[in-house]
Amino acid sequence: MQNLTLLDGPKFQITIQRLCRQLIENHNDFSNAILIGIQPRGIYLARRVAEELRLILNKPILQGDLDITFYRDDFRRREGPLVPNQTKIDFIIEGKNVIMMDDVLWTGRTIRAAMDAMLAFGRPAKVELLTLVDRRYSRHIPVTADYTGIEVDSIASQKVVVSWKETDGEDKIVLLSELSEPEFTEFKN
């Protein structure tokens, strides 16, 4: 595997802060807005953004975690038992502006499942999407992020991995590519 670091260290934190400033531009003091992180990795982004907004606005921000395991369109196709994550939304989303967050936007299927799962908690006034990494040109479903940390043009065989200080020891975004063996053609004279 070949690794290419896309974002780390201070640039990672600057990207989070920029996203927070963009949210404040559109949601002012967050009196009618809430953050929802999509399990499993979007919750770290949502928690980090909520904490940064709390520091900037000097007030707590409503933030929840949403599990989408049984809303995915591929959950019946997986082998072995499914292990759901925890949903933690202890507030009403009815009539609120919801900012859904995930670490990587790729095919759009996770976002579709999250929108279905979210409706069990009420009908929001508006739903927006914030993603740390947008893997453009790979959509299966027409989904676009309203707020994006970085955009990455990648192919299906590549993988984007977001590491979080809270769980992985460092903040980092890496593009993994499989190394292919060079092909040699035998020439006959």
Side-chain angles (χ1 to χ4, degrees):
M1 291 292 239
Q2 180 180 1
N3 298 354
L4 174 64
T5 299
L6 303 174
L7 201 62
D8 64 354
K11 288 183 179 180
F12 192 101
Q13 183 59 25
I14 289 168
T15 301
I16 299 285
Q17 291 170 343
R18 175 179 52 80
L19 290 167
C20 289
R21 300 288 179 184
Q22 290 174 332
L23 288 171
I24 291 169
E25 284 180 15
N26 291 333
H27 296 284
N28 300 315
D29 66 352
F30 272 74
S31 58
N32 197 41
I34 57 175
L35 310 178
I36 301 222
I38 302 170
Q39 288 274 23
R41 307 287 289 176
I43 64 171
Y44 303 112
L45 175 60
R47 290 172 184 170
R48 185 78 64 86
V49 168
E51 178 58 21
E52 190 67 34
L53 288 170
R54 185 190 66 75
L55 293 172
I56 295 169
L57 299 172
N58 200 27
K59 67 181 269 189
I61 304 298
L62 290 176
Q63 183 268 317
D65 303 340
L66 182 65
D67 177 58
I68 61 163
T69 301
F70 298 109
Y71 291 90
R72 294 188 58 88
D73 58 5
D74 62 351
F75 87 92
R76 287 184 183 92
R77 296 179 183 185
R78 296 183 183 207
E79 292 183 24
L82 291 173
V83 180
N85 292 293
Q86 182 181 15
T87 291
K88 182 181 171 259
I89 299 176
D90 54 1
F91 46 82
I92 303 296
I93 69 168
E94 187 78 30
K96 298 283 188 185
N97 295 322
V98 174
I99 301 108
M100 297 184 87
M101 298 189 184
D102 204 6
D103 58 347
V104 179
L105 172 58
W106 186 22
T107 63
R109 292 181 182 276
T110 296
I111 306 308
R112 188 216 48 84
M115 291 181 67
D116 287 347
M118 178 191 59
L119 291 176
F121 296 90
R123 184 176 184 260
K126 183 177 183 179
V127 178
E128 294 178 327
L129 176 62
L130 182 148
T131 185
L132 190 57
V133 181
D134 183 354
R135 289 184 66 175
R136 304 183 310 175
Y137 312 125
S138 301
R139 299 289 184 275
H140 296 175
I141 295 173
V143 172
T144 303
D146 299 284
Y147 310 94
T148 301
I150 63 171
E151 294 178 332
V152 177
D153 297 331
S154 60
I155 58 176
S157 64
Q158 294 175 312
K159 185 173 182 178
V160 174
V161 177
V162 178
S163 300
W164 294 97
K165 192 181 334 180
E166 296 85 346
T167 58
D168 308 306
E170 66 179 333
D171 293 331
K172 191 177 199 176
I173 302 172
V174 176
L175 179 65
L176 303 176
S177 301
E178 291 184 20
L179 291 175
S180 59
E181 294 292 324
E183 292 185 24
F184 294 100
T185 306
E186 191 176 312
F187 292 101
K188 294 182 181 182
N189 291 336

